[in-house]
Each structure stands twice: as structure tokens, then as C-alpha cells.
Amino acid sequence: MKALNLNVATSMQWRQKNEEFQNQIMKEEKEYIEKQEILDAIRDGLLEIREARSSGRKLMTAEELLNEL
């Protein structure tokens, strides 16, 4: 009976550590995705500026943007 109790306790500890590990991985992936989304938005903005400059199109100023918000 002690062996069974030990196996159950060991199994529960392993499950808890596994869940903690999975939660840590999910947190790191979420942080990576958020960083990647920010970098993608910056890249898109810079490409828009480059395109506007080459085509002569006028972009919205920071003040106009803030007023719009």
C-alpha cells in the first residue's frame, strides 16, 4: 500500500511540475508573440513611410493622429 501511495504522490508531483513547465512555456511564447507583433507593426509603419516618400504621398502628422484618437 505504501508503494501505491508513493506512486500516486510521485505522479501528482510530476503532473504539477509538468503543468508549471507548460505554463512557463506558454508565457514565454505569449511574450515572444507580443514582441513579434510589435516588431511587425514597426516594420509595416516604416515600409509605409518609405513608400509614401518615394511616391510623394503626404502622411498624417503625429498631431493629426493624436487628434483623431
Side-chain angles (χ1 to χ4, degrees):
M1 193 65 162
K2 281 187 174 182
L4 180 60
N5 287 340
L6 180 60
N7 285 341
V8 170
T10 303
S11 177
M12 290 175 69
Q13 289 173 348
W14 181 84
R15 181 175 287 154
Q16 182 179 7
K17 287 181 181 181
N18 187 35
E19 287 175 3
E20 291 171 0
F21 181 69
Q22 287 179 346
N23 288 339
Q24 180 65 26
I25 289 173
M26 289 173 62
K27 180 181 175 188
E28 289 174 4
E29 286 179 353
K30 181 180 177 187
E31 289 174 358
Y32 173 78
I33 290 170
E34 290 173 351
K35 288 177 186 176
Q36 191 62 45
E37 289 173 348
I38 291 168
L39 293 172
D40 288 344
I42 291 170
R43 182 176 51 250
D44 291 344
L46 291 172
L47 288 171
E48 183 180 353
I49 290 170
R50 184 173 73 180
E51 181 183 313
R53 285 182 178 171
S54 67
S55 69
R57 184 173 51 114
K58 186 176 181 209
L59 293 175
M60 186 182 303
T61 65
E63 184 177 353
E64 293 169 337
L65 177 65
L66 289 174
N67 289 336
E68 189 175 291
L69 296 175

XYZ file of all heavy atoms in Angstrom:
571
model
N 0.816 -1.194 0.000
C 0.000 0.000 0.000
C 0.861 1.260 0.000
O 0.506 2.242 -0.621
C -0.925 -0.048 1.216
C -2.012 0.965 1.176
S -3.091 0.594 -0.207
C -4.502 1.474 0.216
N 2.019 1.217 0.733
C 2.916 2.372 0.757
C 3.448 2.670 -0.640
O 3.579 3.827 -1.018
C 4.091 2.120 1.709
C 3.770 2.316 3.148
C 5.037 2.217 3.966
C 4.751 2.553 5.408
N 5.974 2.517 6.201
N 3.764 1.619 -1.389
C 4.283 1.804 -2.745
C 3.239 2.490 -3.618
O 3.564 3.360 -4.425
C 4.704 0.475 -3.347
N 1.984 2.115 -3.471
C 0.907 2.717 -4.242
C 0.754 4.188 -3.873
O 0.633 5.044 -4.745
C -0.411 1.968 -4.021
C -1.617 2.512 -4.776
C -1.350 2.465 -6.280
C -2.847 1.711 -4.444
N 0.790 4.486 -2.585
C 0.693 5.878 -2.135
C 1.869 6.703 -2.644
O 1.707 7.845 -3.038
C 0.626 5.953 -0.607
C -0.722 5.497 -0.079
O -1.700 5.478 -0.799
N -0.757 5.111 1.185
N 3.059 6.101 -2.634
C 4.251 6.787 -3.122
C 4.128 7.058 -4.622
O 4.455 8.147 -5.091
C 5.506 5.953 -2.834
C 6.828 6.560 -3.292
C 7.071 7.899 -2.614
C 7.962 5.616 -3.005
N 3.634 6.080 -5.370
C 3.453 6.254 -6.816
C 2.427 7.343 -7.113
O 2.607 8.132 -8.030
C 3.027 4.940 -7.477
C 4.183 3.971 -7.610
O 5.340 4.366 -7.540
N 3.867 2.703 -7.782
N 1.348 7.377 -6.341
C 0.319 8.401 -6.546
C 0.889 9.776 -6.232
O 0.710 10.729 -6.985
C -0.933 8.102 -5.675
C -1.890 9.288 -5.690
C -1.629 6.846 -6.176
N 1.618 9.882 -5.119
C 2.214 11.160 -4.738
C 3.240 11.598 -5.777
O 3.279 12.766 -6.174
C 2.860 11.049 -3.361
N 4.066 10.681 -6.229
C 5.079 10.994 -7.242
C 4.405 11.425 -8.540
O 4.827 12.386 -9.179
C 5.977 9.775 -7.495
O 6.569 9.374 -6.264
C 7.060 10.091 -8.506
N 3.348 10.736 -8.903
C 2.608 11.078 -10.116
C 2.002 12.472 -10.008
O 2.046 13.261 -10.959
C 1.515 10.046 -10.371
O 0.753 10.402 -11.485
N 1.455 12.804 -8.858
C 0.847 14.122 -8.655
C 1.911 15.220 -8.701
O 1.693 16.275 -9.284
C 0.083 14.160 -7.334
C -1.181 13.300 -7.356
S -2.011 13.227 -5.774
C -2.602 14.880 -5.630
N 3.081 14.949 -8.109
C 4.165 15.926 -8.138
C 4.653 16.134 -9.568
O 4.892 17.269 -9.993
C 5.327 15.457 -7.260
C 5.034 15.519 -5.785
C 6.143 14.879 -4.958
O 7.018 14.202 -5.502
N 6.100 15.093 -3.661
N 4.793 15.045 -10.298
C 5.237 15.140 -11.684
C 4.227 15.941 -12.510
O 4.595 16.798 -13.305
C 5.405 13.739 -12.276
C 5.878 13.798 -13.696
C 7.153 13.930 -14.133
C 5.061 13.782 -14.866
N 7.197 13.988 -15.504
C 5.910 13.891 -15.985
C 3.688 13.676 -15.092
C 5.437 13.911 -17.284
C 3.227 13.699 -16.390
C 4.091 13.812 -17.466
N 2.945 15.669 -12.293
C 1.896 16.377 -13.035
C 1.943 17.869 -12.734
O 1.837 18.698 -13.636
C 0.523 15.802 -12.690
C -0.602 16.506 -13.455
C -1.927 15.857 -13.212
N -1.950 14.586 -13.932
C -2.682 13.556 -13.591
N -3.457 13.604 -12.539
N -2.655 12.450 -14.307
N 2.134 18.216 -11.454
C 2.192 19.624 -11.076
C 3.413 20.307 -11.709
O 3.305 21.403 -12.248
C 2.251 19.774 -9.562
C 2.267 21.219 -9.103
C 2.313 21.343 -7.585
O 2.453 20.364 -6.875
N 2.208 22.559 -7.106
N 4.564 19.648 -11.668
C 5.766 20.223 -12.278
C 5.592 20.357 -13.785
O 6.025 21.342 -14.381
C 6.986 19.366 -11.956
C 7.444 19.497 -10.529
C 8.661 18.653 -10.252
C 9.072 18.791 -8.793
N 10.258 18.012 -8.477
N 4.953 19.370 -14.388
C 4.699 19.416 -15.829
C 3.786 20.594 -16.170
O 4.030 21.311 -17.140
C 4.093 18.094 -16.290
C 3.973 18.015 -17.797
O 4.804 18.529 -18.519
N 2.922 17.364 -18.269
N 2.745 20.806 -15.379
C 1.826 21.926 -15.620
C 2.545 23.262 -15.449
O 2.348 24.183 -16.241
C 0.628 21.844 -14.680
C -0.343 20.743 -15.031
C -1.477 20.594 -14.025
O -1.540 21.390 -13.070
O -2.293 19.674 -14.200
N 3.413 23.356 -14.430
C 4.177 24.584 -14.225
C 5.100 24.836 -15.408
O 5.224 25.968 -15.876
C 4.997 24.492 -12.932
C 4.155 24.515 -11.673
C 4.957 24.198 -10.416
O 6.178 23.947 -10.513
O 4.347 24.181 -9.329
N 5.725 23.781 -15.895
C 6.617 23.897 -17.052
C 5.837 24.336 -18.281
O 6.266 25.229 -19.019
C 7.319 22.556 -17.290
C 8.266 22.568 -18.444
C 9.448 23.300 -18.401
C 7.995 21.834 -19.596
C 10.324 23.310 -19.464
C 8.864 21.839 -20.660
C 10.037 22.581 -20.596
N 4.685 23.744 -18.512
C 3.859 24.116 -19.664
C 3.390 25.566 -19.551
O 3.362 26.296 -20.545
C 2.665 23.176 -19.790
C 3.033 21.802 -20.288
C 1.833 20.872 -20.379
O 0.766 21.162 -19.836
N 2.012 19.761 -21.062
N 3.027 25.989 -18.342
C 2.599 27.375 -18.142
C 3.738 28.342 -18.441
O 3.520 29.409 -19.035
C 2.087 27.593 -16.715
C 0.742 26.938 -16.483
O 0.005 26.656 -17.423
N 0.428 26.683 -15.229
N 4.952 27.990 -18.026
C 6.113 28.832 -18.299
C 6.359 28.927 -19.804
O 6.637 30.008 -20.328
C 7.364 28.279 -17.587
C 8.607 29.089 -17.811
C 8.531 30.481 -17.213
O 7.806 30.711 -16.255
N 9.255 31.411 -17.784
N 6.248 27.810 -20.493
C 6.439 27.808 -21.954
C 5.382 28.686 -22.621
O 5.694 29.493 -23.499
C 6.394 26.369 -22.511
C 7.646 25.604 -22.083
C 6.265 26.378 -24.032
C 7.620 24.140 -22.436
N 4.135 28.551 -22.193
C 3.062 29.351 -22.780
C 3.301 30.837 -22.537
O 3.057 31.658 -23.418
C 1.711 28.918 -22.223
C 1.276 27.545 -22.728
S -0.219 26.931 -21.939
C -1.401 28.144 -22.425
N 3.776 31.183 -21.337
C 4.057 32.581 -21.018
C 5.164 33.115 -21.919
O 5.053 34.214 -22.460
C 4.471 32.712 -19.552
C 4.788 34.112 -19.124
C 5.224 34.168 -17.674
C 5.654 35.570 -17.306
N 6.243 35.628 -15.980
N 6.226 32.338 -22.100
C 7.332 32.768 -22.958
C 6.876 32.893 -24.409
O 7.282 33.825 -25.112
C 8.496 31.792 -22.841
C 9.202 31.871 -21.509
C 10.266 30.807 -21.330
O 10.521 30.027 -22.264
O 10.847 30.751 -20.226
N 6.043 31.975 -24.877
C 5.538 32.055 -26.249
C 4.665 33.285 -26.424
O 4.728 33.959 -27.443
C 4.751 30.792 -26.602
C 5.621 29.577 -26.848
C 4.823 28.340 -27.180
O 3.583 28.369 -27.105
O 5.454 27.328 -27.513
N 3.851 33.589 -25.411
C 2.988 34.768 -25.483
C 3.833 36.034 -25.550
O 3.565 36.927 -26.339
C 2.062 34.829 -24.271
C 1.128 36.009 -24.282
C 0.234 36.037 -23.073
C -0.636 37.268 -23.098
N -1.394 37.432 -21.874
N 4.888 36.099 -24.706
C 5.773 37.253 -24.740
C 6.437 37.370 -26.099
O 6.566 38.467 -26.636
C 6.830 37.144 -23.641
C 6.270 37.333 -22.249
C 7.303 37.078 -21.157
O 8.452 36.720 -21.477
O 6.933 37.219 -19.980
N 6.860 36.249 -26.677
C 7.503 36.274 -27.987
C 6.524 36.767 -29.045
O 6.869 37.601 -29.876
C 8.034 34.892 -28.364
C 8.544 34.830 -29.777
C 9.793 35.352 -30.103
C 7.773 34.292 -30.796
C 10.272 35.326 -31.394
C 8.239 34.263 -32.098
C 9.481 34.778 -32.387
O 9.941 34.757 -33.675
N 5.303 36.264 -28.992
C 4.296 36.665 -29.980
C 4.017 38.159 -29.859
O 3.933 38.864 -30.855
C 3.007 35.836 -29.816
C 3.265 34.389 -30.243
C 1.859 36.447 -30.615
C 2.152 33.432 -29.902
N 3.896 38.661 -28.628
C 3.647 40.081 -28.444
C 4.803 40.903 -29.002
O 4.595 41.904 -29.684
C 3.445 40.395 -26.965
C 2.141 39.853 -26.419
C 2.011 40.001 -24.913
O 2.999 40.377 -24.249
O 0.916 39.742 -24.409
N 6.037 40.492 -28.733
C 7.198 41.207 -29.253
C 7.207 41.147 -30.779
O 7.482 42.144 -31.441
C 8.491 40.609 -28.706
C 8.726 40.904 -27.254
C 9.985 40.217 -26.770
C 10.166 40.382 -25.281
N 11.330 39.637 -24.788
N 6.901 39.983 -31.324
C 6.900 39.818 -32.774
C 5.831 40.695 -33.414
O 6.071 41.311 -34.458
C 6.675 38.349 -33.150
C 6.915 38.062 -34.603
C 8.344 38.345 -35.014
O 9.287 37.980 -34.334
N 8.522 39.004 -36.148
N 4.655 40.789 -32.787
C 3.596 41.638 -33.320
C 4.013 43.099 -33.313
O 3.739 43.844 -34.260
C 2.311 41.453 -32.508
C 1.641 40.117 -32.736
C 0.466 39.865 -31.808
O 0.295 40.622 -30.827
O -0.273 38.914 -32.057
N 4.696 43.523 -32.251
C 5.174 44.908 -32.162
C 6.202 45.173 -33.253
O 6.133 46.194 -33.954
C 5.754 45.192 -30.765
C 4.631 45.192 -29.729
C 6.511 46.516 -30.745
C 5.117 45.180 -28.299
N 7.147 44.254 -33.410
C 8.163 44.428 -34.450
C 7.546 44.433 -35.844
O 7.972 45.202 -36.722
C 9.230 43.340 -34.334
C 10.104 43.418 -33.083
C 10.994 42.180 -32.992
C 10.926 44.676 -33.072
N 6.544 43.599 -36.067
C 5.853 43.577 -37.364
C 5.161 44.910 -37.632
O 5.198 45.420 -38.754
C 4.828 42.441 -37.413
C 5.465 41.070 -37.500
O 6.674 40.990 -37.822
O 4.755 40.071 -37.236
N 4.533 45.482 -36.607
C 3.849 46.769 -36.765
C 4.838 47.878 -37.063
O 4.578 48.747 -37.909
C 3.042 47.105 -35.507
N 5.995 47.844 -36.399
C 7.030 48.844 -36.661
C 7.521 48.711 -38.099
O 7.664 49.713 -38.824
C 8.192 48.702 -35.662
C 7.728 49.114 -34.260
C 9.400 49.534 -36.105
C 8.722 48.782 -33.168
N 7.778 47.481 -38.524
C 8.238 47.247 -39.898
C 7.204 47.750 -40.906
O 7.548 48.423 -41.883
C 8.535 45.772 -40.128
C 9.076 45.494 -41.535
C 9.482 44.053 -41.789
N 8.461 43.093 -41.444
C 8.532 42.250 -40.403
N 9.573 42.252 -39.609
N 7.559 41.398 -40.160
N 5.930 47.458 -40.661
C 4.870 47.914 -41.567
C 4.824 49.441 -41.637
O 4.664 50.016 -42.715
C 3.510 47.366 -41.121
C 3.378 45.874 -41.309
O 4.204 45.279 -42.050
O 2.448 45.286 -40.708
N 4.978 50.075 -40.470
C 4.970 51.535 -40.439
C 6.131 52.129 -41.203
O 5.978 53.109 -41.942
N 7.317 51.549 -41.031
C 8.486 52.049 -41.747
C 8.356 51.835 -43.257
O 8.757 52.698 -44.056
C 9.755 51.378 -41.224
C 10.155 51.766 -39.790
C 11.305 50.902 -39.314
C 10.498 53.240 -39.713
N 7.781 50.700 -43.645
C 7.549 50.465 -45.074
C 6.554 51.462 -45.635
O 6.705 51.940 -46.773
C 7.061 49.031 -45.307
C 8.101 47.939 -45.119
C 7.439 46.559 -45.170
C 9.195 48.047 -46.155
N 5.544 51.813 -44.854
C 4.556 52.799 -45.291
C 5.213 54.166 -45.479
O 4.936 54.872 -46.454
C 3.422 52.899 -44.275
C 2.319 53.844 -44.673
C 1.199 53.924 -43.649
O 1.216 53.146 -42.674
O 0.319 54.775 -43.820
N 6.097 54.536 -44.557
C 6.809 55.814 -44.674
C 7.686 55.824 -45.923
O 7.695 56.795 -46.686
C 7.648 56.078 -43.405
C 6.731 56.376 -42.223
C 8.627 57.236 -43.631
C 7.447 56.419 -40.887
N 8.415 54.740 -46.137
C 9.295 54.668 -47.312
C 8.488 54.773 -48.608
O 8.865 55.498 -49.532
C 10.095 53.370 -47.289
C 11.105 53.302 -48.435
C 12.002 52.126 -48.342
N 11.243 50.927 -48.693
C 11.738 49.713 -48.704
N 12.994 49.510 -48.368
N 11.002 48.678 -49.036
N 7.372 54.064 -48.638
C 6.519 54.100 -49.831
C 5.954 55.494 -50.055
O 5.904 55.990 -51.188
C 5.379 53.091 -49.678
C 4.453 53.020 -50.871
C 3.304 52.054 -50.631
O 3.563 50.945 -50.160
O 2.152 52.443 -50.911
N 5.523 56.146 -48.982
C 4.962 57.492 -49.102
C 6.013 58.484 -49.591
O 5.723 59.348 -50.422
C 4.389 57.935 -47.756
N 7.217 58.358 -49.072
C 8.292 59.271 -49.508
C 8.631 59.072 -50.986
O 8.875 60.027 -51.707
C 9.532 59.064 -48.655
C 9.404 59.653 -47.279
C 10.667 59.481 -46.476
N 10.536 60.100 -45.168
C 11.416 59.964 -44.201
N 12.499 59.230 -44.391
N 11.223 60.554 -43.041
N 8.656 57.825 -51.415
C 9.014 57.575 -52.817
C 7.896 57.976 -53.776
O 8.157 58.356 -54.911
C 9.385 56.105 -53.019
O 8.260 55.275 -52.830
N 6.659 57.925 -53.309
C 5.540 58.282 -54.183
C 5.112 59.736 -54.011
O 4.307 60.235 -54.800
C 4.335 57.371 -53.904
O 3.783 57.654 -52.632
N 5.633 60.420 -52.984
C 5.268 61.814 -52.758
C 3.959 61.970 -52.003
O 3.463 63.091 -51.847
N 3.409 60.880 -51.554
C 2.143 60.936 -50.808
C 2.385 61.529 -49.424
O 3.388 61.251 -48.782
C 1.575 59.515 -50.666
C 0.226 59.445 -50.006
C -0.320 58.033 -50.065
N 0.648 57.060 -49.579
C 0.483 56.339 -48.470
N -0.596 56.457 -47.766
N 1.410 55.481 -48.101
N 1.475 62.371 -48.958
C 1.610 63.007 -47.648
C 0.986 62.107 -46.583
O -0.130 61.623 -46.740
C 0.924 64.366 -47.643
C 1.161 65.118 -46.362
C 0.580 66.504 -46.379
C 0.919 67.135 -45.046
N -0.008 68.090 -44.603
N 1.734 61.904 -45.524
C 1.245 61.091 -44.421
C 0.665 61.975 -43.323
O 0.942 63.181 -43.258
C 2.386 60.247 -43.831
C 2.946 59.155 -44.722
C 4.144 58.491 -44.052
C 1.879 58.114 -45.010
N -0.104 61.364 -42.458
C -0.694 62.058 -41.331
C 0.404 62.419 -40.322
O 1.305 61.627 -40.064
C -1.711 61.107 -40.659
C -2.523 61.719 -39.566
S -3.655 60.537 -38.780
C -4.616 59.948 -40.139
N 0.332 63.630 -39.775
C 1.307 64.025 -38.760
C 0.936 63.389 -37.427
O -0.181 62.901 -37.234
C 1.334 65.550 -38.584
O 0.072 65.969 -38.063
C 1.642 66.264 -39.891
N 1.881 63.429 -36.499
C 1.635 62.872 -35.163
C 0.489 63.627 -34.493
O -0.352 63.033 -33.821
C 2.896 62.939 -34.318
N 0.450 64.931 -34.680
C -0.624 65.742 -34.070
C -1.986 65.345 -34.648
O -2.960 65.191 -33.914
C -0.355 67.221 -34.314
C -1.374 68.131 -33.642
C -1.057 69.592 -33.831
O 0.012 69.927 -34.365
O -1.895 70.409 -33.437
N -2.034 65.160 -35.967
C -3.294 64.727 -36.600
C -3.723 63.356 -36.081
O -4.908 63.127 -35.833
C -3.138 64.692 -38.117
C -2.955 66.048 -38.757
C -2.544 65.954 -40.220
O -2.001 64.920 -40.637
O -2.773 66.928 -40.952
N -2.767 62.484 -35.910
C -3.072 61.157 -35.385
C -3.636 61.232 -33.976
O -4.639 60.595 -33.658
C -1.829 60.261 -35.405
C -1.981 58.867 -34.811
C -2.951 58.038 -35.629
C -0.650 58.189 -34.705
N -2.993 62.020 -33.126
C -3.466 62.157 -31.746
C -4.848 62.811 -31.689
O -5.689 62.424 -30.885
C -2.467 62.970 -30.925
C -1.165 62.271 -30.607
C -0.191 63.223 -29.922
C -1.394 61.029 -29.750
N -5.081 63.783 -32.542
C -6.401 64.410 -32.587
C -7.478 63.430 -33.037
O -8.618 63.521 -32.597
C -6.390 65.635 -33.500
C -5.616 66.776 -32.900
O -5.446 66.884 -31.683
N -5.111 67.653 -33.752
N -7.089 62.522 -33.919
C -8.044 61.524 -34.416
C -8.421 60.522 -33.337
O -9.529 60.016 -33.305
C -7.435 60.814 -35.618
C -8.413 59.914 -36.344
C -7.803 59.344 -37.589
O -7.566 60.113 -38.534
O -7.582 58.112 -37.611
N -7.457 60.224 -32.459
C -7.711 59.271 -31.377
C -8.597 59.898 -30.345
O -9.394 59.383 -29.710
C -6.395 58.807 -30.734
C -5.477 58.021 -31.663
C -4.168 57.732 -30.929
C -6.108 56.725 -32.104
